[in-house]
Amino acid sequence: MIEVRDVTKSFGTQQVLRGVSLDIRRGEAVVIIGRSGGGKSILLKHLIGLLQPDSGVVRVDGEDITAMNERSLLRVRRKYGMLFQMAALFDSLTVDENVGFVLRRQGLESETEIRRRIDEALDMVELPGIGNKMPSELSGGMRKRVGLARAIVYRPEIVLYDEPTTGLDPIAADNIDRLIRRVWETLHVTSIAVTHDMKSARTISNRILMLHEGQIYSEGPTSEILESRDPVIYRFVNGISTPQKSE
Amino acid sequence: MPVQLIHQRFRSFITQLGEISQLLMESIGSFRHQRPSWKDFLYQLQFIGVKSQSVVITTGAATGMVLCAQTFLQFHKVKMDTATGAVVSIGMSSELGPVLAALMLTGRVGASMTAELGTMKVTEQIDALRTLAAHPVDTLVVPRFLALLASAPLLTAESVVVGIVSSWWVGVNLLGIDSAYYLVNMTRYTDPPDVLTGLIKSLVFGAIIAVVSCYKGLTCQGGAEGVGKATTEAVVVASISILIINFFLTLFLSRLFYS
């Protein structure tokens, strides 16, 4: 479904991605792990065409999106939903208007049908009846759940999550993880998340890719990666800052 | 290294000019892809047009009164008191009205647009918009662009009228100019092209404010500091562009109407 081949990306003199290649198949739940500042979010933004690589190719269903202009990308992006790190809700709109943004903009359905789908999405993220609130009135966890409702209300094929549990307390983070899992299971979407939260990675993925020094260092089933004895993976998964003598 | 610095600045200037022109073309071309949202347009029209009136009226009145007093003081020396109205009327209609209204709009509306779009950029709201298959130019730039094109000439006309009326009041009641002569000379020497010049200028200035402010907001980088910097740059670039383009428009329009 998504193919990434030899993607490189630099910002000024700093090379963030150094020839990343990966494949994501339809219906998978993939998590990309790696250190903070290692380019995970940059890679995620390449998958939806928010950033263009310096070299390399990103194909979505066989179409090279790196060769597309912003208008052509709009068509491809209809396949995607994305939850941002800080939710990125439109702060001048209510929750209801945020969630229904795409539906109302497309204008393909009646207001009754739009209303029903907004309520359905808010029910799915366990936030019924908050449609009239403004984003500034919501907690961090609630904002992320509204962001998730906005990302899934139009039934995308692929949902991207950028650090979905960052900045949340453990209970709110667990709640988001459960919702991501539920979205993947019930809507049968392809789920791609970047995170450095190992508990979250265990809950929401069936395959993990590790980004290290600008390249995919390793990939495999979730349990295999989390139990790996490879020193780089082991240190990251277990949060060990320097190599231990016992290793 | 001054040569390198000049080269870098020049390159940056040309790049920005190119990107601003591209944004202008995209805004105009947007109509082929997406019909502008009436709701967004009316919201912007209310914010730009209705809420800017007090600023524009005050500017027009103050300018008209000062221009009247200064012109009178000079003309009085050569016994041309009654020509004051004509000078104020032409000056306000073709130059001061459009330029000062545009500068006030740059400060009030342009700065606000850049700050709003810049904040949206740094909080990833613009990226969110793009992921929702909405083009930022269609959604954010076009309603503001159209609202400024509609508002700027109306606000300028309002400013000019208020300026002329207030200058008449100052001239007649405080400076002792005969009202009939004031009005006759004013209408005799003020031609329709003077008024048209002001309105055409205001339309161009409205487009400049919209495109420069939106461009600076959409290309804003960093956090709060980046938004502040972009807002300052938007006001400076738009104001200087208005002043420079005003000169060329004056030459061009005077040739067009009077040759």
Side-chain angles (χ1 to χ4, degrees):
Chain A
M1 183 167 211
I2 299 177
E3 294 169 58
V4 177
R5 292 289 173 268
D6 301 320
V7 162
T8 65
K9 183 73 179 176
S10 299
F11 294 97
T13 54
Q14 190 192 1
Q15 191 169 21
V16 182
L17 302 179
R18 302 164 187 261
V20 172
S21 294
L22 58 91
D23 287 288
I24 293 165
R25 290 174 290 278
R26 194 176 297 277
E28 272 195 303
V30 174
V31 160
I32 301 167
I33 60 171
R35 295 195 60 183
S36 296
K40 302 186 298 295
S41 297
I42 301 292
L43 176 58
L44 196 72
K45 287 183 178 178
H46 278 83
L47 302 185
I48 190 172
L50 290 179
L51 287 174
Q52 296 291 351
D54 297 335
S55 65
V57 174
V58 178
R59 286 195 197 91
V60 179
D61 288 334
E63 278 189 288
D64 179 3
I65 65 166
T66 55
M68 292 182 179
N69 63 24
E70 187 70 18
R71 287 218 181 267
S72 311
L73 276 168
L74 298 182
R75 178 178 51 77
V76 177
R77 288 190 190 131
R78 293 204 174 98
K79 296 177 183 177
Y80 286 89
M82 183 164 177
L83 173 61
F84 286 82
Q85 196 169 344
M86 305 305 289
L89 299 180
F90 305 129
D91 48 23
S92 58
L93 304 182
T94 62
V95 166
D96 183 288
E97 288 165 334
N98 263 284
V99 177
F101 182 85
V102 172
L103 304 177
R104 290 200 172 97
R105 194 177 157 77
Q106 288 174 349
L108 301 174
E109 295 171 56
S110 68
E111 186 56 32
T112 317
E113 177 60 14
I114 291 172
R115 192 58 272 149
R116 189 191 66 73
R117 287 179 64 175
I118 292 170
D119 290 342
E120 190 181 81
L122 286 174
D123 280 345
M124 186 150 199
V125 298
E126 298 166 359
L127 284 176
I130 64 150
N132 292 327
K133 285 191 184 293
M134 296 302 287
S136 57
E137 298 174 80
L138 306 177
S139 68
M142 288 167 87
R143 288 169 73 96
K144 292 219 176 176
R145 281 146 73 190
V146 172
L148 181 56
R150 184 178 68 180
I152 60 171
V153 71
Y154 50 96
R155 298 291 169 88
E157 297 170 41
I158 308 161
V159 184
L160 307 180
Y161 303 92
D162 186 4
E163 307 272 11
T165 56
T166 296
L168 300 180
D169 66 70
I171 293 172
D174 183 60
N175 198 357
I176 288 287
D177 288 341
R178 277 192 307 104
L179 289 173
I180 293 173
R181 186 88 196 175
R182 191 198 297 172
V183 165
W184 177 64
E185 285 169 352
T186 56
L187 302 183
H188 309 293
V189 296
T190 305
S191 177
I192 307 166
V194 301
T195 186
H196 43 63
D197 176 349
M198 290 304 105
K199 183 173 177 291
S200 175
R202 190 185 295 276
T203 312
I204 65 177
S205 70
N206 55 19
R207 186 160 70 99
I208 291 182
L209 296 106
M210 182 165 179
L211 189 67
H212 181 66
E213 294 179 346
Q215 290 183 315
I216 298 296
Y217 179 78
S218 181
E219 63 174 296
T222 302
S223 56
E224 197 178 286
I225 293 288
L226 295 181
E227 282 151 28
S228 169
R229 304 305 295 176
D230 178 283
V232 172
I233 302 173
Y234 182 83
R235 279 204 300 276
F236 181 78
V237 169
N238 294 287
I240 300 165
S241 60
T242 51
Q244 302 296 296
K245 281 182 182 169
S246 57
E247 285 176 12
Chain B
M1 294 291 153
V3 176
Q4 224 173 8
L5 192 70
I6 291 169
H7 176 252
Q8 207 177 10
R9 291 256 167 100
F10 182 71
R11 238 180 95 165
S12 159
F13 169 74
I14 295 294
T15 307
Q16 284 196 32
L17 200 63
E19 287 174 350
I20 289 172
S21 310
Q22 199 179 356
L23 182 61
L24 176 66
M25 296 316 291
E26 270 188 49
S27 305
I28 295 167
S30 159
F31 296 96
R32 285 186 289 126
H33 304 281
Q34 177 91 34
R35 216 169 47 184
S37 153
W38 270 104
K39 192 182 159 200
D40 293 344
F41 169 69
L42 290 175
Y43 176 82
Q44 291 300 330
L45 198 63
Q46 196 257 354
F47 172 69
I48 296 166
V50 179
K51 291 192 172 175
S52 299
Q53 287 190 90
S54 54
V55 172
V56 167
I57 287 172
T58 310
T59 308
T63 311
M65 288 194 279
V66 168
L67 185 62
C68 176
Q70 279 296 341
T71 310
F72 172 81
L73 291 175
Q74 303 309 313
F75 278 18
H76 185 64
K77 294 174 191 167
V78 289
K79 308 278 187 249
M80 284 177 64
D81 306 11
T82 54
T84 301
V87 172
V88 170
S89 168
I90 294 170
M92 282 301 292
S93 304
S94 60
E95 293 295 336
L96 290 171
V99 170
L100 292 179
L103 292 177
M104 296 312 285
L105 281 177
T106 303
R108 201 196 93 77
V109 176
S112 157
M113 278 183 185
T114 306
E116 188 181 356
L117 298 189
T119 306
M120 286 184 77
K121 176 83 192 307
V122 300
T123 55
E124 295 188 309
Q125 290 178 55
I126 291 186
D127 277 347
L129 201 62
R130 294 166 70 202
T131 65
L132 295 169
H135 199 297
V137 171
D138 302 346
T139 318
L140 300 172
V141 180
V142 170
R144 287 167 172 80
F145 182 73
L146 289 178
L148 256 164
L149 283 189
S151 307
L154 293 173
L155 289 168
T156 299
E158 192 176 23
S159 173
V160 169
V161 168
V162 170
I164 290 172
V165 170
S166 50
S167 79
W168 169 83
W169 185 84
V170 168
V172 172
N173 294 299
L174 302 182
L175 304 172
I177 305 172
D178 186 281
S179 175
Y181 281 117
Y182 190 100
L183 294 174
V184 165
N185 279 336
M186 187 180 83
T187 49
R188 180 185 294 167
Y189 292 107
T190 309
D191 296 326
D194 295 321
V195 178
L196 205 58
T197 296
L199 294 179
I200 292 172
K201 282 181 175 180
S202 66
L203 208 63
V204 175
F205 297 158
I208 291 172
I209 298 167
V211 176
V212 170
S213 307
C214 289
Y215 169 77
K216 287 290 178 187
L218 292 174
T219 54
C220 174
Q221 300 217 319
E225 191 190 355
V227 175
K229 204 173 146 203
T231 307
T232 307
E233 281 177 8
V235 172
V236 171
V237 172
S239 304
I240 290 176
S241 305
I242 286 166
L243 294 173
I244 293 172
I245 289 172
N246 179 52
F247 171 70
F248 291 105
L249 275 176
T250 299
L251 290 184
F252 173 73
L253 293 173
S254 59
R255 286 254 172 116
L256 188 73
F257 291 131
Y258 291 107
S259 62

